[in-house]
Amino acid sequence: DGGITQSPKYLFRKEGQNVTLSCEQNLNHDAMYWYRQDPGQGLRLIYYSQIVNDFQKGDIAEGYSVSREKKESFPLTVTSAQKNPTAFYLCASSVAFRAGTDTQYFGPGTRLTVL
Amino acid sequence: AQSVSQHNHHVILSEAASLELGCNYSYGGTVNLFWYVQYPGQHLQLLLKYFSGDPLVKGIKGFEAEFIKSKFSFNLRKPSVQWSDTAEYFCAVNGAGGGADGLTFGKGTHLIIQP
């Protein structure tokens, strides 16, 4: 069953702690993305990766870090530098990073709450 | 920088009513345009997209959208809504001819269909 999995579904973190959100895809997609969704704000791009071992900052990268060591995996670390980390985090992937016409497929999301 | 504006944050309709959700974008070049839907408890999924050709595009579940370049608009329509159309709808855009960044989303429209 192909798709994108994100874990955990719910995550609680104390202030000052780093936390890593998992994103795995078995669609053989080259490109992967992380978005943050806040109520009434839509989705905002955090980081994206076109190929393995390469990634670029999106619109709101401050306080976040990523890695892309494997094609199928694109974990996101929310660091203690992120001032307002409580949000719903969505991972997406697309076949390739060509001309922006490829459909992005989204995972189920991780809801992060900072206590 | 590109931006997307969705005019209605909350829309309430009765079943069988016609639907039109507004979307305007701001971008200096050729764009690709998307409508995504997020049903309660489900993944964000693509409704339809436009990147070239016929400006009237048809998507899943009876939805369609019309790209009007002169108005920078990509409004979503459905002639007769159903209770199952209750969801959050997002308009999104990226720049064509390179795909150098991810999608820019509007803030979303929460649609409620009353039986």
Side-chain angles (χ1 to χ4, degrees):
Chain A
D1 190 21
I4 302 173
T5 56
Q6 292 185 242
S7 61
K9 187 173 181 180
Y10 298 98
L11 188 57
F12 297 89
R13 187 194 96 178
K14 293 182 180 179
E15 278 194 43
Q17 289 181 336
N18 292 355
V19 63
T20 297
L21 282 59
S22 168
C23 177
E24 304 276 332
Q25 54 98 359
N26 61 3
L27 301 168
N28 200 32
H29 287 173
D30 286 318
M32 297 187 74
Y33 313 80
W34 274 105
Y35 293 88
R36 168 182 171 139
Q37 185 178 12
D38 296 282
Q41 294 296 316
L43 281 73
R44 291 178 289 169
L45 181 67
I46 304 173
Y47 268 97
Y48 60 95
S49 167
Q50 301 179 44
I51 54 172
V52 174
N53 293 321
D54 180 72
F55 47 83
Q56 305 294 328
K57 292 182 179 180
D59 299 321
I60 55 165
E62 185 176 350
Y64 299 97
S65 65
V66 292
S67 63
R68 186 87 187 277
E69 296 176 2
K70 297 186 295 183
K71 185 176 184 178
E72 59 270 23
S73 178
F74 191 40
L76 173 74
T77 297
V78 184
T79 75
S80 56
Q82 169 50 233
K83 297 189 188 312
N84 186 20
T86 294
F88 189 52
Y89 291 88
L90 287 167
C91 178
S93 69
S94 63
V95 171
F97 214 64
R98 314 168 295 198
T101 60
D102 292 320
T103 298
Q104 290 187 21
Y105 294 88
F106 285 81
T110 292
R111 189 167 298 280
L112 173 64
T113 302
V114 174
L115 303 173
Chain B
Q2 54 205 30
S3 65
V4 177
S5 175
Q6 291 183 240
H7 314 301
N8 310 101
H9 297 300
H10 297 278
V11 174
I12 301 174
L13 295 172
S14 298
E15 277 195 311
S18 64
L19 170 71
E20 181 159 4
L21 300 182
C23 173
N24 286 91
Y25 67 92
S26 171
Y27 186 72
T30 305
V31 293
N32 301 308
L33 295 153
F34 306 79
W35 274 99
Y36 278 85
V37 61
Q38 193 171 33
Y39 296 105
Q42 294 189 26
H43 300 198
L44 200 68
Q45 59 183 281
L46 181 72
L47 265 182
L48 47 80
K49 66 180 180 182
Y50 170 82
F51 52 92
S52 66
D54 189 342
L56 183 63
V57 291
K58 295 191 184 299
I60 61 172
K61 305 190 180 188
F63 286 91
E64 65 178 31
E66 185 175 13
F67 170 52
I68 303 179
K69 189 175 180 180
S70 61
K71 294 184 178 180
F72 299 92
S73 70
F74 190 55
N75 292 355
L76 180 71
R77 300 195 292 246
K78 186 171 184 178
S80 177
V81 294
Q82 301 172 306
W83 176 78
S84 58
D85 293 325
T86 293
E88 187 137 23
Y89 293 80
F90 295 95
C91 183
V93 62
N94 66 12
D101 38 23
L103 293 169
T104 296
F105 283 83
K107 293 185 177 183
T109 297
H110 188 199
L111 175 66
I112 296 173
I113 307 300
Q114 296 177 329

